[in-house]
């Protein structure tokens, strides 16, 4: 089955990084907080009732591989069977911000080999999936773990970030190569899409550096040179890893993912809290056009929601973004879909997961107690219509 020319999609939030909180290392488990696994069949039925057929889904790696090389496929067996019952075509997510406990962190290359073995075992067991997001948001994973120091490794230097990013990219590329070779599969990506805006001329250089850092993940994946602004940050990366990334870099069977939210727009020296929806989407369109000019591959809005805006503005956000994506498509940009992320409300994303207190983040098509929000009617109407 080919990926649609335009997909209306949704996904289940399954992040599970480790954060430091109250003097302890705490595993944030979004699936446990949402109780999705306890309500799996009903949740998937609710999604399918909206006419959604493309579904981003992943079971936590750590729950499948509790000891090195020892795989328990129970969760995946249940998940794939449930999706088949409800007519949901899967984009398989294999690693979503967290590692099994036997790996030290994203800066340690040992996890890359372990991830490849895990993916190979998955591919050997499940023959039907063709669409994969092997490592969800490699840039965001590396940035939060090794630059901001808030997840997993909790490191804070450009060199540590570059190392972690290269490990994430290498893991992604190695698995993508196996997916293409074994089943003519596709990397249907998901990556944080940072739109850095310079309101004043003196802010342009800072915005350009932010963009160069955020786009380094695609430069590496697609075999383009890194910006001179950030290349020195990568000096400590093992040259063998850089060479292997260069060998594997490819644009074949790729639909790149732009994870774009209201909060994705960063204005240097200016708060964007009061920015109108249209102004934020203007920033996305401008950035996406430059992105496509550089990389030349099809892309989709792999994640979006009202994140940072009240739930009452969900319909406003979706209407405005859909209208703009339609305009971009009419003007020749290969935008291949929109994925609302996620099915239900999330937890603690207002703090970037660093305060794991179970606070509801109201971004779901369905509320935390599984009631449909008004935006579900709009999404259902859109999913039933022409692209």
């Amino acid at each position: 089955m080919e990926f649609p020319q335009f997909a209306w999609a949704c996904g289940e939030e399954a992040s599970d990084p480790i954060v430091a909180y109250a003097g302890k290392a705490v595993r944030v488990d979004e699936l446990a907080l949402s109780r999705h696994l306890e309500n799996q069949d009903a949740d998937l039925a609710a999604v399918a009732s909206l006419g959604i057929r493309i579904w981003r889904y992943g079971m936590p790696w750590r729950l499948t591989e509790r000891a090195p090389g020892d795989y328990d496929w129970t969760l995946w067996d249940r998940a794939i069977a449930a999706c088949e019952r409800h007519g949901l075509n899967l984009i398989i997510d294999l690693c979503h911000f967290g590692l099994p406990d036997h790996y030290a962190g994203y800066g340690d290359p040992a996890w890359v080999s372990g991830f490849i073995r895990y993916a190979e075992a998955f591919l050997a067991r499940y023959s039907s999936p063709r669409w994969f997001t092997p490592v969800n948001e490699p840039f965001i994973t590396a940035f939060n773990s090794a630059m901001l120091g808030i997840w997993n490794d909790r490191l804070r230097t450009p060199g540590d970030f570059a190392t972690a990013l290269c490990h994430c990219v290498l893991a992604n590329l190695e698995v993508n190569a196996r997916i293409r070779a074994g089943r003519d599969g596709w990397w249907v990506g998901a990556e944080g899409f940072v739109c850095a805006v310079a309101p004043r001329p003196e802010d342009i250089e800072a915005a350009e550096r932010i963009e160069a850092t955020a786009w380094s993940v695609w430069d590496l994946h697609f075999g383009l040179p890194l910006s001179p602004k950030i290349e020195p940050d990568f000096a400590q990366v093992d040259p063998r890893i850089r060479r292997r990334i260069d060998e594997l870099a490819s644009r074949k069977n790729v639909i790149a993912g732009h994870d774009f939210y209201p909060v994705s727009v960063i204005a240097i020296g200016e708060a964007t809290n009061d920015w109108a929806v249209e102004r934020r989407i203007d920033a996305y369109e401008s950035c996406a056009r430059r992105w496509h000019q550089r990389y030349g591959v099809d892309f989709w809005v792999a994640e979006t929601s009202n994140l940072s805006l009240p739930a009452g503005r969900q319909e406003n956000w979706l209407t405005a973004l859909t209208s703009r994506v339609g305009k971009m498509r009419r003007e020749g940009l290969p935008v291949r879909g929109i994925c609302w992320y996620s099915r239900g409300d999330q937890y603690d994303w207002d703090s970037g997961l660093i305060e794991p207190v179970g606070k509801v983040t109201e971004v779901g098509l369905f509320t935390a107690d599984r009631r449909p929000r008004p935006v579900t009617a709009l999404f259902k109407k859109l999913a039933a219509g022409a692209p």
Side-chain angles (χ1 to χ4, degrees), residues 123-279:
L123 294 171
R125 185 175 182 86
Y126 306 107
S127 60
S128 58
R130 290 187 60 211
W131 308 329
F132 290 82
T133 306
V135 179
N136 175 72
E137 294 191 345
F139 166 73
I140 297 297
T141 300
F143 195 77
N144 284 353
S145 298
M147 181 75 93
L148 292 185
I150 60 175
W151 294 351
N152 302 307
D153 311 52
R154 298 191 293 282
L155 301 174
R156 294 178 179 271
T157 74
D160 288 323
F161 158 72
T163 297
L165 179 63
C166 285
H167 291 163
C168 290
V169 171
L170 178 60
N172 217 29
L173 287 172
E174 291 280 10
V175 174
N176 285 335
R178 287 157 173 80
I179 291 164
R180 286 196 307 271
R183 59 188 68 196
D184 192 30
W186 285 67
W187 173 34
V188 183
E191 184 59 84
F193 199 78
V194 179
C195 300
V197 178
R200 302 169 300 180
E202 57 266 34
D203 298 322
I204 292 175
E205 185 174 351
E208 288 176 344
R209 179 172 176 85
I210 290 172
E211 184 171 285
T213 303
W215 288 17
S216 61
V217 66
W218 287 300
D219 291 339
L220 292 166
H221 273 103
F222 299 142
L224 274 67
L226 296 171
S227 166
K229 296 178 185 296
I230 63 163
E231 177 65 57
D233 298 345
F234 287 73
Q236 76 177 43
V237 176
D238 185 335
R240 294 170 297 179
I241 290 176
R242 289 291 300 273
R243 285 195 296 271
R244 182 60 177 164
I245 287 173
D246 290 341
E247 290 170 4
L248 292 169
S250 174
R251 304 184 201 192
K252 184 180 179 182
N253 289 19
V254 172
I255 297 174
H258 294 178
D259 296 357
F260 177 68
Y261 297 92
V263 74
S264 299
V265 180
I266 299 172
I268 309 301
E270 180 179 327
T272 59
N273 299 348
D274 296 328
W275 277 32
V277 163
E278 288 292 341
R279 188 178 179 191

Side-chain angles (χ1 to χ4, degrees), residues 37 59 201 203 345:
L37 296 180
M59 297 296 104
D203 298 322
D345 285 343

Side-chain angles (χ1 to χ4, degrees), residues 12 33 44 70 92 102 113 170 174 184 212 238 242 276 278 321 341 354 373 382:
E12 189 69 36
L33 289 164
L44 298 184
D70 183 9
I92 297 289
H102 46 272
S113 299
L170 178 60
E174 291 280 10
D184 192 30
D238 185 335
R242 289 291 300 273
E278 288 292 341
L321 180 60
Y341 203 78
I354 61 174
R373 285 201 168 92
L382 291 168

Side-chain angles (χ1 to χ4, degrees), residues 25 41 90 95 155 238 298 335 367 386:
D41 205 65
L90 288 170
C95 179
L155 301 174
D238 185 335
D298 289 10
V335 193
T367 65

Side-chain angles (χ1 to χ4, degrees), residues 29-155:
D29 187 335
E30 290 284 315
L31 283 180
L33 289 164
S34 69
R35 298 174 289 109
H36 168 67
L37 296 180
E38 303 163 34
N39 297 274
Q40 186 173 62
D41 205 65
D43 286 350
L44 298 184
V47 168
S49 74
L50 301 181
I52 292 169
R53 295 293 176 261
I54 310 297
W55 179 239
R56 288 192 57 205
Y57 208 32
M59 297 296 104
W61 177 13
R62 78 181 203 284
L63 297 182
T64 302
E65 186 181 354
R66 295 182 183 273
D70 183 9
Y71 305 116
D72 177 354
W73 299 106
T74 303
L75 290 179
W76 274 115
D77 287 348
R78 281 180 50 204
I80 290 174
C83 289
E84 288 176 352
R85 282 197 304 275
H86 294 289
L88 296 172
N89 300 302
L90 288 170
I91 301 171
I92 297 289
D93 179 336
L94 292 174
C95 179
H96 204 120
F97 297 150
L99 297 171
D101 291 334
H102 46 272
Y103 293 116
Y106 288 97
D108 183 347
W111 77 270
V112 178
S113 299
F115 183 66
I116 294 168
R117 289 192 298 271
Y118 170 52
E120 288 175 338
F122 181 98
L123 294 171
R125 185 175 182 86
Y126 306 107
S127 60
S128 58
R130 290 187 60 211
W131 308 329
F132 290 82
T133 306
V135 179
N136 175 72
E137 294 191 345
F139 166 73
I140 297 297
T141 300
F143 195 77
N144 284 353
S145 298
M147 181 75 93
L148 292 185
I150 60 175
W151 294 351
N152 302 307
D153 311 52
R154 298 191 293 282
L155 301 174

